[in-house]
Amino acid sequence: DASYERIRLWLKKADGMPVRGEYVTASGKLLRLAEFSEVKSFSGFKRPAKMLMKNLLAEKRFSILQIDTFNVKAKPSPTTFVLDSLGR
């Protein structure tokens, strides 16, 4: 099961870089809004280095993901991404 029924993603026409994301319920209610910024080159791969995720149900809540380094050749184990491995 997915947390969101639909994700609408805005990409730059010139390079396909994500700019904005809207995370929507099955009923069409907008739950989260993501803004992607600070595009940097990581080992030759250009990616947004910052993502601001706004909680639209609790307007004072938000998360910021800031990427300083990115190993594009890393091969993590699939168990790395199970809920119990993520911690808090």
Side-chain angles (χ1 to χ4, degrees):
D1 288 330
S3 298
Y4 308 103
E5 176 68 22
R6 185 174 58 238
I7 300 172
R8 290 185 288 235
L9 190 60
W10 278 256
L11 306 173
K12 287 184 181 178
K13 196 175 229 180
D15 58 10
M17 196 65 55
V19 177
R20 173 187 170 109
E22 291 183 348
Y23 299 77
V24 183
T25 66
S27 66
K29 184 172 185 169
L30 184 59
L31 295 178
R32 306 271 190 278
L33 178 65
E35 297 172 358
F36 302 92
S37 60
E38 298 181 19
V39 174
K40 295 182 182 176
S41 179
F42 298 100
S43 300
F45 293 92
K46 288 190 173 186
R47 307 287 347 128
K50 184 176 182 181
M51 182 180 77
L52 170 63
M53 180 70 87
K54 297 177 182 178
N55 182 333
L56 300 180
L57 299 179
E59 293 184 14
K60 292 183 181 181
R61 297 191 64 166
F62 63 92
S63 298
I64 297 174
L65 173 65
Q66 183 73 45
I67 301 170
D68 296 320
T69 62
F70 189 85
N71 183 349
V72 296
K73 295 181 181 182
K75 296 186 192 278
S77 164
T79 60
T80 301
F81 300 102
V82 296
L83 189 56
D84 292 339
S85 294
L86 295 177
R88 284 212 113 319

